[in-house]
């Protein structure tokens, strides 16, 4: 079950309006996850990769990437 609700967007007639509705995992920013899965930080933080691999809220393909990086 995905519990994340991220944005409300107004496109026609004005600028985009973004409003954070919920942040169930504040310690896991998109930036941190990208650094771990793509930027090479996972080599220095295997415990964080293990946490990502077990995180139900994360997309299946991203969990699989974390598992692959763990070897």
């Amino acid at each position: 079950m995905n519990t994340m609700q991220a944005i409300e967007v107004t496109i026609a007639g004005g600028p985009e309006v973004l409003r954070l509705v919920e942040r169930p995992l504040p310690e896991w920013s998109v930036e941190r996850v990208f650094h771990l899965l793509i930027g090479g930080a996972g080599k220095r933080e295997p415990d964080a990769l293990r946490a990502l691999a077990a995180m139900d809220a994360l997309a299946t393909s991203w969990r699989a990437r974390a598992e692959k990086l763990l070897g």
Side-chain angles (χ1 to χ4, degrees), residues 1-2 51-59 63:
M1 178 173 75
N2 188 345
L52 285 178
M55 191 178 296
D56 290 336
L58 196 63
R63 290 194 316 264

Side-chain angles (χ1 to χ4, degrees), residues 4-71:
M4 300 186 106
Q5 296 180 15
I7 59 173
E8 290 181 2
V9 179
T10 302
I11 296 181
E16 291 186 11
V17 176
L18 304 178
R19 180 175 66 89
L20 179 64
V21 176
E22 181 178 320
R23 185 184 303 240
L25 301 168
E27 67 279 11
W28 290 104
S29 67
V30 172
E31 179 182 24
R32 182 176 182 209
V33 172
F34 269 49
H35 280 294
L36 290 165
L37 296 180
I38 298 168
K43 294 175 184 174
R44 297 181 304 277
E45 299 184 57
D47 289 341
L49 280 180
R50 280 190 274 284
L52 285 178
M55 191 178 296
D56 290 336
L58 196 63
T60 303
S61 60
W62 289 21
R63 290 194 316 264
R65 170 87 175 148
E67 289 174 10
K68 182 178 179 181
L69 289 171
L70 286 167

